[in-house]
Amino acid sequence: MRNVLLILSVCAAIVFSSCTSAPEKMYYWEMYSYYTYDYIKSGDELNDEDILQTYEIVMDGQEDTIRQTIPPGVCADYGYLLVRKGIRMEEAGDEAEGAELIQEGKSFLMKEKALYPESEKFIDGVLKKLEL
């Protein structure tokens, strides 16, 4: 009887101790959905810097997550916004910096394909639409 109680006590301690640990996060999202929704809803180009900064925070905050990699779609969103910003800069006459932003944006779109191969068709369509 004493052995049964000891075994039950040990099992209960293991079960309860495993319940106290916090679940690990797959990805770190910060305020990604809030800022993305706000950006899309407003359509304001003045928010470009805010949304780009949010994406940078999300990309840099993956050290404490299970996968330790950028969440799906973030590189694509970030790259697309950089390309759009670069195109606007070129149209405004700042061709050197615009071309640099376009190239950086394209590299983030390619990084999305490398991290998530299932996005290849989508990213290829985006690149084709942007004529890159």
Side-chain angles (χ1 to χ4, degrees):
M1 180 69 170
R2 190 175 264 193
N3 288 339
V4 172
L5 286 176
L6 180 63
I7 292 172
L8 287 175
S9 298
V10 170
C11 289
I14 291 172
V15 168
F16 289 124
S17 68
S18 67
C19 293
T20 61
S21 63
E24 293 187 51
K25 297 183 287 185
M26 182 79 76
Y27 300 107
Y28 171 75
W29 291 95
E30 179 63 19
M31 297 288 289
Y32 175 85
S33 59
Y34 171 78
Y35 283 111
T36 302
Y37 174 78
D38 188 48
Y39 176 80
I40 292 170
K41 184 179 172 187
S42 71
D44 186 7
E45 291 178 4
L46 297 176
N47 290 335
D48 279 0
E49 291 305 317
D50 292 338
I51 194 77
L52 288 172
Q53 185 178 14
T54 300
Y55 290 165
E56 289 168 4
I57 290 169
V58 170
M59 289 188 286
D60 292 339
Q62 300 305 316
E63 299 85 28
D64 296 331
T65 62
I66 294 172
R67 295 206 54 216
Q68 294 185 345
T69 190
I70 300 168
V74 176
C75 285
D77 285 345
Y78 187 73
Y80 179 75
L81 290 174
L82 286 177
V83 169
R84 279 191 33 201
K85 184 177 179 181
I87 290 171
R88 283 195 306 270
M89 291 181 88
E90 282 186 339
E91 290 171 352
D94 192 354
E95 294 178 12
E97 191 170 344
E100 186 176 315
L101 281 174
I102 290 171
Q103 191 58 39
E104 184 180 0
K106 185 178 178 183
S107 71
F108 274 98
L109 289 166
M110 301 306 281
K111 185 174 185 176
E112 180 77 23
K113 278 176 43 174
L115 289 172
Y116 302 100
E118 63 273 15
S119 69
E120 183 175 355
K121 286 188 177 187
F122 174 74
I123 299 298
D124 288 344
V126 170
L127 291 170
K128 186 176 181 178
K129 180 180 177 187
L130 294 171
E131 299 175 5
L132 297 177

